[in-house]
Amino acid sequence: MHGGTDFDAPTDYVNQRGDFDGHILLTDLCAPKPKPSKVQRMWMTTESCAANSYFTTSERIVIVDK
């Protein structure tokens, strides 16, 4: 199909384990918004990807240089 990124998979893993303080996702933000995380979640992406994200979030987004 077209990529198939699923942010719910890592979120489910973290939520089910229960022994994480948080998780970081390195991404282009081109996928549907994931379900809520039970711990802090941070997104790392480029400036252009952040400007064209498929969803909005109040979680921390860190912009990295290419």
Side-chain angles (χ1 to χ4, degrees):
M1 307 282 279
H2 294 93
T5 300
D6 180 3
F7 298 131
D8 286 339
T11 301
D12 285 341
Y13 182 80
V14 168
N15 285 347
Q16 291 168 5
R17 291 276 309 255
D19 57 354
F20 290 96
D21 294 326
H23 55 126
I24 300 169
L25 292 99
L26 309 175
T27 180
D28 60 6
L29 296 171
C30 291
K33 185 173 184 170
K35 59 181 68 172
S37 177
K38 293 180 180 177
V39 297
Q40 292 183 3
R41 179 170 44 201
M42 182 174 72
W43 306 88
M44 295 187 77
T45 193
T46 64
E47 187 173 356
S48 63
C49 290
N52 296 302
S53 175
Y54 280 34
F55 62 91
T56 59
T57 181
S58 61
E59 297 168 330
R60 184 172 304 203
I61 297 177
V62 175
I63 306 298
V64 294
D65 292 332
K66 294 181 185 179

